[in-house]
Amino acid sequence: MNFLAHIYLSFDDKEITLGNFFADHIRGNKYKHLPDRIQKGILLHREIDTFTDSHPTVRQSSKRLHKNYSHYSRVIVDIYYDHFLAKNWSDYSDVPLDEYVEDFYDLLEDNYDILPLATQRMMPYMIADNWLLNYANLAGIDRVLNGMNRRTKNKSRMNFAILDLEEHYIDFEKEFTSFFEELITFSNQKFISLCEN
């Protein structure tokens, strides 16, 4: 899953949210210096990724893209799924998405000093272009895919993936909706388990 899903699946716990958000910028066990609940957020992120990567519905979404994008298809599906979460946000939260993401950006700014360097570098762009709110529209997703393509030096061809999303929009949305219900249940169980220890 991509950024918005990981933030959402932290169940409004601020420290868990931080760890769950920036876990991809932490290698191996280089998180032991961080506060305990941030460490738990990193572990939760990894549990979510493992569950997602092995799930048959996610694999079905990915398979639809594999011919054109090879191993990048999994990354593209993560971005698509964040789009459907943002687009259908009111189905999952009583807090409007614009308020939710502003609160999250405030959380990042309040905890800037403990963010990994890669997260600190990314943060100004994320906030200035309001990535999380703009996931809700296709133009925002198109910008994300173009940015990802540039980062792969045009090898991924991800800039064309907006066309696949438009062509198979209903199928991808159904797969997201089905999968995300399971992921919420799984993540909540892991969250409770981690917080009890």
Side-chain angles (χ1 to χ4, degrees):
M1 301 303 291
N2 207 41
F3 295 130
L4 185 60
H6 279 291
I7 296 162
Y8 176 77
L9 295 169
S10 301
F11 305 101
D12 297 321
D13 182 300
K14 290 184 177 181
E15 289 183 296
I16 298 276
T17 299
L18 287 168
N20 201 348
F21 169 68
F22 66 60
D24 282 337
H25 292 151
I26 301 286
R27 295 279 168 247
N29 66 352
K30 298 192 185 309
Y31 57 82
K32 302 291 188 181
H33 63 289
L34 292 166
D36 180 64
R37 288 184 84 80
I38 292 181
Q39 293 187 37
K40 288 174 176 175
I42 292 167
L43 296 175
L44 177 59
H45 178 110
R46 293 175 178 178
E47 293 277 6
I48 289 168
D49 280 358
T50 301
F51 180 82
T52 301
D53 289 346
S54 61
H55 197 283
T57 303
V58 179
R59 290 188 171 191
Q60 187 176 330
S61 290
S62 181
K63 189 176 179 185
R64 193 176 293 115
L65 299 168
H66 199 266
K67 180 182 170 189
N68 291 332
Y69 306 102
S70 186
H71 61 282
Y72 294 108
S73 58
R74 297 304 281 270
V75 178
I76 295 168
V77 169
D78 284 348
I79 294 166
Y80 287 178
Y81 280 15
D82 252 18
H83 163 65
F84 292 117
L85 174 56
K87 177 197 160 202
N88 300 301
W89 183 255
S90 61
D91 294 342
Y92 301 101
S93 176
D94 294 330
V95 180
L97 183 58
D98 58 344
E99 287 180 31
Y100 188 90
V101 300
E102 283 302 322
D103 287 346
F104 173 69
Y105 296 150
D106 289 345
L107 178 67
L108 288 186
E109 288 170 341
D110 291 345
N111 292 276
Y112 183 83
D113 291 344
I114 61 169
L115 302 176
L117 185 58
T119 310
Q120 290 178 346
R121 287 177 176 155
M122 177 184 77
M123 192 179 109
Y125 302 101
M126 177 182 225
I127 295 173
D129 294 334
N130 208 345
W131 292 357
L132 299 176
L133 185 63
N134 284 316
Y135 283 158
N137 60 69
L138 289 176
I141 293 299
D142 190 32
R143 279 195 296 277
V144 171
L145 292 166
N146 273 281
M148 296 291 283
N149 183 59
R150 282 193 300 277
R151 281 197 282 284
T152 65
K153 298 180 176 158
N154 302 319
K155 289 178 191 163
S156 66
R157 301 178 69 253
M158 286 167 74
N159 53 312
F160 294 107
I162 193 70
L163 302 175
D164 300 83
L165 176 57
E166 290 170 340
E167 183 179 353
H168 302 287
Y169 196 87
I170 293 170
D171 292 325
F172 282 122
E173 185 163 23
K174 282 180 183 170
E175 286 158 5
F176 162 78
T177 304
S178 158
F179 165 68
F180 201 63
E181 288 302 324
E182 290 184 48
L183 183 60
I184 291 170
T185 302
F186 170 84
S187 302
N188 191 45
Q189 289 168 348
K190 289 293 176 186
F191 173 85
I192 293 166
S193 167
L194 283 164
C195 291
E196 282 174 348
N197 294 329

